Each structure stands twice: as structure tokens, then as C-alpha cells.
Amino acid sequence: MKKLKEFTIPFVGLKLGRHHYDYHINDTFFDFFEYEDFNDIDVKVNLEFEKKPTMLELDFHIKGHININCDVTNEPYNQPLENHISLVVKFGDELNDENEDLLILPHGEYEIEVQQYIYEAIVLGIPIKRVHPGVEDGTLDSEILDRLEELEPKIGEEKEENEVDPRWNKLKNLLNDKN
């Protein structure tokens, strides 16, 4: 995978302690990942990077909004986004990123790429079902919603369960004729 230079942190030259990195995420970031589910994105990422003698701790605080299409009406709307993930980086013999909260880097590494973690935090912070707020409170006026209401089954128009279709009575007569 290609690197994005601004999301690579060389930690070898950093002093022990806390360091802060701020990133502004927009459409070009997601173009890099070839992810096209968003119409527009405006997200701020605040990364608190703490260097300790034997490990690194990263806390990603993500806040902003994403313009996406509603799953019900396909109308675009701004979905607020807020997410937080933590990552602990330790050093070992070989790279191991199987655990989502722990990354093991080989001894001798001098930098860490955070682009993948930011990408995952944003994508996983979006609700599974994307519903326009106007659908929930009934203020959205959309042709699709009007059409869905037309096609919705009417409760009052259902036949009573006791009422039998007269065609069934004719079939019952055939059974009675056998005897």
C-alpha cells in the first residue's frame, strides 16, 4: 500500500511524553482508499501520541460530519460523526496487527503509519442503517417516501378472517359429493 506522508509519524526522534497531531480529513483522503460511499466529508482527527520507553500509545478522537445518502429515500444528508479509538504499539520480533487494540512492530522500526487507523475509525463510526433525520421526524418531503406510503398495506381495508371466499365453498361441495 502506498504511504501518505502526512500520516506517517517518525517516533525515533521524539522525546518521551505526549505529542499532538491534528488532521483534517476530506474527500481526497478517501480517494486514496478508493472508498466512494460518501458524497462529502469534513472530519477533524485529533491524535494524542504518547511515547513511553517500551511502547507507544495512540488515542484517536474523531469528530465531524459526512454527507451520505439515506438508505430509505436515497436523499443526501449530513450524518454527524464522533468516534474514539485507542491503539497500543509494542515492539517484537515480527509485525503483528491481528489484534485491533494492539500493534506489534518489529524492532528497528522508526515510524508508524496512522492512515489506516483513521480510515477504519471513520468508516466504523458511521451507523449501519443510514436514515435521514427528516424520515424519522416526518419533515422530509420526498417522492420516494410518497410512493412508499401509497404502496403501504392499509390496515382498515383487510378482510375479516371469518369471511370466506365463495370459491372455497364450491370446492367444499366437491368433497361432499364424493360421500
Side-chain angles (χ1 to χ4, degrees), residues 8-176:
T8 302
I9 301 173
F11 55 81
V12 168
L14 292 177
K15 294 180 181 178
L16 294 180
R18 290 192 176 273
H19 304 275
H20 295 279
Y21 297 92
D22 292 318
Y23 300 104
H24 179 257
I25 305 300
N26 56 22
D27 296 330
T28 56
F29 179 81
F30 281 92
D31 289 343
F32 173 78
F33 288 97
E34 297 177 3
Y35 189 82
E36 299 174 353
D37 280 5
F38 307 144
N39 300 327
D40 186 39
I41 180 167
D42 183 26
V43 173
K44 305 279 189 224
V45 177
N46 180 10
L47 171 59
E48 292 181 22
F49 183 96
E50 186 171 0
K51 183 177 179 183
K52 295 183 176 183
T54 59
M55 67 179 179
L56 309 169
E57 290 182 0
L58 290 82
D59 284 319
F60 297 88
H61 301 276
I62 291 135
K63 190 170 187 169
H65 73 275
I66 297 172
N67 188 285
I68 55 178
N69 291 339
C70 174
D71 289 339
V72 177
T73 63
N74 205 31
E75 295 284 331
Y77 74 100
N78 284 338
Q79 171 71 46
L81 176 71
E82 192 165 341
N83 201 1
H84 171 265
I85 63 168
S86 297
L87 178 68
V88 174
V89 180
K90 292 190 175 190
F91 299 94
D93 293 330
E94 60 184 32
L95 176 70
N96 183 347
D97 59 355
E98 293 174 3
N99 190 333
E100 60 189 43
D101 298 329
L102 177 67
L103 172 65
I104 298 176
L105 289 177
H107 295 291
E109 282 291 322
Y110 61 95
E111 63 186 14
I112 183 170
E113 297 172 19
V114 296
Q115 65 208 23
Q116 184 68 33
Y117 300 103
I118 293 172
Y119 168 79
E120 290 174 6
I122 292 172
V123 171
L124 294 175
I126 299 171
I128 293 171
K129 187 168 185 181
R130 304 165 185 179
V131 180
H132 193 292
V135 172
E136 292 176 347
D137 62 18
T139 59
L140 181 66
D141 188 27
S142 166
E143 289 180 29
I144 294 173
L145 280 179
D146 294 340
R147 183 71 177 144
L148 284 173
E149 285 178 16
E150 285 176 22
L151 297 174
E152 186 176 52
K154 305 295 184 224
I155 296 172
E157 295 178 9
E158 291 181 16
K159 292 184 178 181
E160 292 183 26
E161 290 183 29
N162 297 338
E163 186 180 319
V164 179
D165 189 345
R167 292 175 286 184
W168 289 110
N169 289 331
K170 295 281 186 187
L171 291 173
K172 283 182 187 177
N173 288 337
L174 291 173
L175 285 175
N176 292 338

